[in-house]
Amino acid sequence: MLDIGTQTHPLPHQDALYILLHRNQVLIESDNQFLIPFTHFQPNAKMSAIYCGQWHGQDIFVCRFESIPKGFTEIGLRDLLFLQDESHYLLLSRAHQLSTWDRDHQFCGRCGTAMPDKHAKEHAKMCVSCNLRHYPRISPCIIVSIRKGDQILLARGPQAPKDRFSNIAGFVEAGETLEQAVAREVKEEVGLDVTNIRYVDSQPWSFPHQLMVGFYADYQSGEITPAPGEIEEAHWYHIDDLPNIPNNATISGQLILRHIAHIKSLAV
Ligand SMILES: [Zn+2]
């Protein structure tokens, strides 16, 4: 398992394992192996290695490459995530989020000064000019499975495959509670009012830095009215007659299956 740890971050060393990124792709060896020993690639001076924590007692670093080193192929992060179990998923997700933060915080957002290297004790960069601290960005997003009797609401956004239906989801606004975000997103996207909003589970989702916060809610009132440009179609589906839903590695898929099991347990 991944141990994020509280110790001072070590410098990159030969006994560590490395996750190599090229743009947003992950570099792999055969058999989708993405934890790479130091001796399998040529470290270069410009390579910025970020400490991710320990994995089964071994230090893990993530590095970004400008070109693909010899002997490697690249695979999309999303494709690779779905090939992994949940513990590997969390490691990859953390590595990708830390690398994205490093890449996107090369200069201070307040005064424009070039940022120094990472802090040795934590993932933070402090501006030498104005002392502003920059931490890895985490963007909370709500995702909600809505129940109406023995039906649940599933919707399809414009980017989703034609036959794939999922939950309502969206970013939390500044100054908003998670529950307010659930009620607002459901109203905006499908025109419904919901009640009995309760937390279920969460999952980091590194596209690029969301934290998905999963809820159940019950239908209260309104007719389904898809928001133009946001939702292509949305319907109530009987829990025994579902369309194609997201992969069970995602919180979206898990939320639907858990909610259905919960609704069935209430009916017994
Ligand atoms: Zn500054």
Side-chain angles (χ1 to χ4, degrees), residues 108 110-113 127 129-132:
C108 178
R110 179 191 281 161
C111 75
T113 301
C127 176
S129 177
C130 75
N131 290 337
L132 183 65

Side-chain angles (χ1 to χ4, degrees), residues 158-192:
Q159 313 295 337
K162 285 277 179 226
D163 64 340
R164 170 90 51 80
F165 286 78
S166 186
N167 301 294
I168 299 298
F171 285 97
V172 179
E173 297 270 353
E176 193 174 48
T177 67
L178 294 166
E179 289 79 4
Q180 286 170 337
V182 169
R184 177 185 52 75
E185 283 289 343
V186 173
K187 186 75 175 176
E188 278 178 12
E189 295 203 346
V190 287
L192 300 178

Side-chain angles (χ1 to χ4, degrees), residues 147-154 236-245 256-257 259-265 267-268:
R147 175 193 177 195
K148 183 183 183 186
D150 53 7
Q151 302 175 98
I152 59 169
L153 185 94
L154 292 169
W236 294 109
Y237 287 92
H238 191 276
I239 54 176
D240 288 327
D241 188 19
L242 295 182
N244 186 9
I245 61 170
I256 294 167
L257 296 180
H259 201 184
I260 287 172
H262 174 66
I263 294 167
K264 286 187 173 176
S265 76
V268 172

